Amino acid sequence: MKSLIYKNSMKAFGLLVSLLICSCSFVSCDDDDDNGGSSVMNITGIYLEDAKSNVPDRLVDFARLGQLIRIEGEGFNGLKKVYINGYNCYFNPVFVSNKSFLVSVNSKVPTTEADENVRNTIRLVKDGGEYVYDFQIRAAAPSITKISNCMPNVGEPIIVYGSGLTEIAKVVFPGNVVVTEGIISDLDGEYFMVDMPAGVSEEGGSIFVEGSNGGAYSPAYFNYKKGLLLNFDGVGAQGAWGDSESMIQTTELESASIGEGNVSQGAYCRLPLERQLPVAAAKNRCAEVWTAGNGTDPDWLTLGVPAETPVAECAIQFEIYVPEPWSESGFLKICGQNGFNGGEWERDCYNYVPWLVDGKIVPFQTTGWQTVTVPFSEFYKSKASSGAWTTFADVAATRASASYANFGFYFENSDITLDKITGASSDKETEFLSKATSVKIYIDNWRVVPLTKPEYTDFPDEEEDAE
């Protein structure tokens, strides 16, 4: 680590020395050049200045907002203005010579919204004339934060959310399935829409996209069927026992096609069931559904997520469909084992309350099935004062040591204080009192998934520092 820090420091120092030498040459080596600004300007190359890179002065064919670039050519004496995509960008005249100068691509430079006449251009202005150079300008690197449905049927739409997702021209699905047509991009780059193609690998993985701002990977959870715990259609086994009112039996699953856009896939579970409605206020463990548990459930360490994976980089994922507004009362308890009586906000469980957003009641409803992703770092065991989960191995070990290693869901309908959601003690006084409810919730495709994603670089040919 000390070696790496030293090398990075030396890189930064080397770049600084280079820039200082350049600045000296700017003011001392141009005595014979045209100082009146009448010489013809010409750009021969543009270089990205990045002290953190293995190549701190790199010849490039595009730059991003906020980056420092060095423009090389001739005729720059007397330079007055630099317009990038039509936006006047500041430069320091001290760092201008007849053959080179430095300029930062201002963060306010327009990209896709720039007028077509000036988009992807650099215009230099001085008293003796102007010069325009074609050069691609990109916004900050795009990123993917969420996918509306991570296990859709072929032909169904998905919405990929994030930032910088403008003018998406190519989507590569797991299994190297490439889509270049039918992609609808948001003008602000906050999402794009595309239909699920045939042939996507059931091993799952990341989606890769390319647009006007470059490329980005999603987390490696798309179509991740090798992580399935229970899909009610032959993968995994449902466990049901006794005749308690709360237990959902295997015979009580439903299979009618429901949902719009993203429809159901064979059998699925509804909770609460019709026979359990209405659910009274202040009642826990109102409805429950489980995997078969001991001796039947898979060892979670065989599901493709490495044992050493941090809990923030792996998750429980499932699909949900809520056709009518769900608001003001009730939540799903995601149980890591069959060891809860109901009402807990501790240990290896997580209470999913989608109708509480930023401390406010916002009715939750879906038109079709959509994916819910809950990182294991959000389970209360990961926030414990002692014995907290830190890796996926800890999650698997807790299950392996449980007397009843079933995984399942409760529907609960108790009062909630806001601090249970936010973790802030100052929110203890904000209370949401439970009410009688007849909400309809459908769930399917329970699975363990990775949240890791491949690193994307603008310069894939750059060698990584191995030390």
Side-chain angles (χ1 to χ4, degrees):
M1 178 60 72
K2 289 182 179 179
S3 175
L4 181 58
I5 293 172
Y6 174 77
K7 287 186 175 184
N8 286 337
S9 298
M10 291 305 295
K11 285 180 188 177
F13 178 74
L15 178 60
L16 178 60
V17 170
S18 297
L19 293 178
L20 288 174
I21 292 173
C22 288
S23 66
C24 291
S25 67
F26 293 155
V27 297
S28 64
C29 298
D30 287 329
D31 292 340
D32 297 328
D33 290 330
D34 170 34
N35 291 316
S38 61
S39 59
V40 175
M41 292 182 288
N42 181 46
I43 293 176
T44 58
I46 294 180
Y47 294 77
L48 176 63
E49 305 300 295
D50 183 1
K52 297 179 181 179
S53 171
N54 286 337
V55 186
D57 184 56
R58 178 194 295 274
L59 181 66
V60 292
D61 54 14
F62 71 89
R64 296 190 182 278
L65 302 188
Q67 291 183 329
L68 177 67
I69 56 177
R70 181 174 66 85
I71 297 180
E72 190 171 277
E74 59 185 356
F76 302 140
N77 274 348
L79 187 64
K80 295 292 183 66
K81 300 285 185 181
V82 178
Y83 295 93
I84 301 178
N85 283 9
Y87 188 89
N88 186 6
C89 289
Y90 170 79
F91 65 95
N92 190 334
V94 172
F95 295 114
V96 176
S97 79
N98 198 50
K99 295 182 178 180
S100 184
F101 69 92
L102 299 170
V103 63
S104 289
V105 183
N106 193 290
S107 61
K108 296 181 180 180
V109 167
T111 52
T112 56
E113 67 274 23
D115 188 278
E116 288 187 8
N117 295 327
V118 298
R119 183 177 175 183
N120 293 326
T121 65
I122 296 176
R123 180 166 67 99
L124 310 182
V125 179
K126 64 179 184 177
D127 290 341
E130 297 186 0
Y131 175 75
V132 177
Y133 183 76
D134 292 333
F135 184 74
Q136 187 178 47
I137 301 297
R138 298 178 179 177
S143 66
I144 295 173
T145 56
K146 185 177 71 171
I147 301 173
S148 62
N149 190 307
C150 292
M151 201 174 284
N153 296 302
V154 172
E156 290 184 344
I158 63 170
I159 304 175
V160 179
Y161 297 92
S163 62
L165 300 172
T166 54
E167 299 178 349
I168 299 301
K170 181 170 75 172
V171 182
V172 183
F173 289 88
N176 200 34
V177 178
V178 180
V179 174
T180 57
E181 297 181 352
I183 304 168
I184 301 173
S185 298
D186 170 47
L187 291 176
D188 295 326
E190 295 179 353
Y191 65 88
F192 70 87
M193 294 183 288
V194 66
D195 290 344
M196 173 71 163
V200 175
S201 169
E202 293 196 357
E203 290 289 298
S206 297
I207 288 177
F208 175 71
V209 305
E210 282 187 349
S212 60
N213 289 325
Y217 288 96
S218 77
Y221 54 37
F222 190 81
N223 213 44
Y224 195 80
K225 293 185 178 180
K226 65 181 178 181
L228 276 168
L229 303 173
L230 183 62
N231 72 350
F232 304 105
D233 286 297
V235 179
Q238 182 184 351
W241 52 90
D243 57 358
S244 69
E245 181 181 341
S246 64
M247 184 66 65
I248 296 174
Q249 304 292 330
T250 57
T251 56
E252 295 181 292
L253 299 178
E254 299 182 19
S255 59
S257 180
I258 56 175
E260 298 179 15
N262 296 102
V263 301
S264 53
Q265 303 173 356
Y268 48 85
C269 179
R270 172 184 168 180
L271 72 166
L273 297 171
E274 191 67 33
R275 65 173 174 79
Q276 296 166 329
L277 299 179
V279 175
K283 184 177 181 182
N284 289 318
R285 202 168 179 172
C286 315
E288 56 186 296
V289 58
W290 297 97
T291 62
N294 303 62
T296 303
D297 285 6
D299 178 352
W300 281 24
L301 291 178
T302 67
L303 300 176
V305 178
E308 66 276 12
T309 304
V311 288
E313 296 179 9
C314 50
I316 284 293
Q317 203 171 66
F318 59 96
E319 269 69 63
I320 192 170
Y321 174 53
V322 182
E324 300 168 2
W326 176 14
S327 182
E328 298 186 338
S329 199
F331 54 89
L332 294 182
K333 180 184 295 295
I334 305 172
C335 304
Q337 60 172 294
N338 182 16
F340 297 94
N341 293 318
E344 296 90 347
W345 293 76
E346 60 182 5
R347 299 192 292 124
D348 49 326
C349 73
Y350 175 78
N351 293 325
Y352 175 63
V353 194
W355 49 266
L356 267 180
V357 180
D358 296 330
K360 306 294 183 183
I361 295 175
V362 179
F364 179 77
Q365 182 179 12
T366 70
T367 55
W369 292 76
Q370 66 182 43
T371 296
V372 175
T373 304
V374 182
F376 285 111
S377 55
E378 293 300 310
F379 279 62
Y380 307 121
K381 182 71 171 176
S382 294
K383 304 175 186 295
S385 57
S386 62
W389 285 342
T390 60
T391 67
F392 185 61
D394 299 332
V395 178
T398 298
R399 283 189 46 75
S401 64
S403 299
Y404 302 99
N406 314 79
F407 176 84
F409 286 71
Y410 288 171
F411 178 79
E412 306 207 296
N413 198 35
S414 54
D415 301 342
I416 299 172
T417 53
L418 186 58
D419 65 299
K420 300 294 187 183
I421 307 294
T422 65
S425 58
S426 58
D427 290 329
K428 282 185 177 181
E429 303 302 318
T430 304
E431 190 172 21
F432 300 90
L433 299 178
S434 57
K435 302 178 181 180
T437 181
S438 293
V439 66
K440 297 178 182 179
I441 304 167
Y442 302 87
I443 56 174
D444 199 1
N445 296 330
W446 309 353
R447 56 199 183 272
V448 171
V449 300
L451 299 181
T452 52
K453 55 185 174 182
E455 291 290 333
Y456 177 80
T457 174
D458 287 329
F459 311 108
D461 58 329
E462 179 175 344
E463 293 184 3
E464 295 294 332
D465 193 327
E467 297 182 2

